[in-house]
Amino acid sequence: MEIGIIGFGSFGQLIAKELKRDFDVFVWNRSDRSGEAKKLGVNYVPIEEAASKEIVILATSISSFEEILKKVRAHIKKGALVADVCSVKEYPVGLMRKILPADIEILGTHPLFGPDSFKFKENRKIVLCPVRIKNGKLEGIKNYLEKKRYKMIITTAKEHDAAIARTQALVHFIGRILERMDLKEKEIDVMTYRKLLEIMDVVKNDSWQLFLDIEKKNKYAEKVREEFVKNAIRLNEELK
Ligand code: NAP
């Protein structure tokens, strides 16, 4: 089976490297990344070609999602499956429903790992939000992921976003605050301090755009950030 990947940034490259073990992978990226594709051993092709495969994975930034969907729509074949990998789900799922014709199948996904955490095999979890997909195809995908030992969580886009606002958006918010505090390794420290440094480093490795999108394109994230800030201020007041 042939898979097209639109967007060959840090996450697009991670999935291309994994999928090429089992599929013929065709990738496209806005800026020229043909060198990286050659190094990985995947086909670097024009956007029209990547979008015309049986399965098309959209892996560009969340903020460019609408523009990309409109660009690829005309090249996607009837009966093909379009899946996204965005770290938020209501926003891209809503756009896919609106922009893609009814004869194209849709699956929302959020792989709960990134280039840094992928090495921890036991942590490879993936959220699936079936939107418009035939049972047989969904079963095939589930079987494949199970064989690859991914832990699957099947849910709705809404439930995903409400949960991930606490379990990811909050972590990224705290990590970016720690970055602004310019936390450094110290000889006199405790183990939990090293965990803070770890959070800061992992979060810092993602692009700034991804941080903005995780915080701004999830409608539940602002409330969680405010709850955190309010509690930080309150606790500080109690200590005066
Ligand atoms: P990234 O490294 O910043 O890459 C962003 C990608 O989007 C690049 O390929 C970039 O192309 C492309 N892009 C940005 N604006 C574009 C536009 N207007 N038109 C066309 N392409 C555009 O981000 P990433 O970490 O790979 O994230 C990509 C997706 O994966 C996001 O939806 C994110 O939520 C999801 N994801 C990421 C992780 C992670 O840990 N990184 C985990 C799970 C899911 P250029 O190279 O030309 O700039």
Side-chain angles (χ1 to χ4, degrees):
M1 189 189 276
E2 295 185 337
I3 295 187
I5 300 178
I6 309 285
F8 198 50
S10 82
F11 198 71
Q13 290 181 35
L14 175 69
I15 52 175
K17 193 171 161 194
E18 282 310 297
L19 291 171
K20 76 157 199 190
R21 300 176 198 278
D22 305 300
F23 306 95
D24 289 329
V25 175
F26 297 79
V27 304
W28 170 85
N29 196 66
R30 172 181 60 174
S31 56
D32 182 19
R33 292 197 191 240
S34 50
E36 285 100 319
K38 197 171 168 200
K39 230 189 251 170
L40 272 191
V42 294
N43 307 285
Y44 195 78
V45 295
I47 190 165
E48 299 80 17
E49 192 179 338
S52 69
K53 303 301 174 192
E54 254 172 281
I55 295 183
V56 181
I57 301 176
L58 302 177
T60 60
S61 63
I62 299 166
S63 44
S64 67
F65 198 76
E66 183 168 10
E67 180 193 333
I68 284 294
L69 256 184
K70 289 181 174 161
K71 223 181 223 169
V72 297
R73 171 178 49 186
H75 309 292
I76 299 171
K77 287 193 178 136
K78 261 188 189 176
L81 172 72
V82 175
D84 78 298
V85 293
C86 293
S87 310
V88 299
K89 291 274 54 77
E90 282 191 299
Y91 176 70
V93 160
L95 286 171
M96 288 192 285
R97 273 187 195 280
K98 196 169 94 186
I99 294 172
L100 295 174
D103 53 16
I104 291 172
E105 298 188 47
I106 301 171
L107 176 65
T109 84
H110 181 197
L112 300 179
F113 49 81
D116 287 312
S117 55
F118 191 70
K119 55 182 178 277
F120 304 112
K121 281 192 180 160
E122 68 285 1
N123 280 342
R124 289 181 191 168
K125 293 198 272 185
I126 180 162
V127 174
L128 300 181
C129 304
V131 179
R132 197 163 73 201
I133 179 167
K134 290 198 180 95
N135 277 343
K137 205 175 273 182
L138 183 61
E139 282 312 307
I141 290 169
K142 280 160 62 179
N143 288 343
Y144 174 74
L145 290 170
E146 206 172 304
K147 215 168 75 193
K148 293 278 165 183
R149 303 199 170 196
Y150 288 89
K151 183 171 182 272
M152 277 167 283
I153 301 144
I154 319 265
T155 186
T156 61
K158 185 177 178 193
E159 277 183 15
H160 166 275
D161 283 6
I164 213 81
R166 284 189 173 270
T167 59
Q168 183 180 45
L170 177 63
V171 178
H172 280 244
F173 182 59
I174 294 170
R176 291 293 178 176
I177 294 170
L178 299 177
E179 184 189 8
R180 290 198 172 186
M181 289 172 67
D182 200 18
L183 251 56
K184 297 256 186 314
E185 270 183 41
K186 296 278 178 204
E187 194 183 356
I188 301 174
D189 72 354
V190 291
M191 215 173 80
T192 42
Y193 179 76
R194 272 167 266 151
K195 289 206 188 301
L196 279 186
L197 289 181
E198 212 179 292
I199 292 174
M200 181 184 74
D201 287 338
V202 170
V203 164
K204 236 165 67 174
N205 273 346
D206 283 331
S207 65
W208 181 251
Q209 188 59 55
L210 180 57
F211 170 63
L212 293 181
D213 291 343
I214 283 173
E215 300 296 342
K216 291 181 159 191
K217 298 284 190 198
N218 181 335
K219 70 176 182 209
Y220 308 94
E222 184 177 1
K223 198 162 164 236
V224 176
R225 289 197 305 273
E226 278 169 359
E227 187 188 337
F228 174 78
V229 171
K230 203 172 77 192
N231 278 289
I233 293 170
R234 193 184 294 157
L235 186 59
N236 192 37
E237 288 302 319
E238 285 171 24
L239 296 173
K240 282 181 184 166

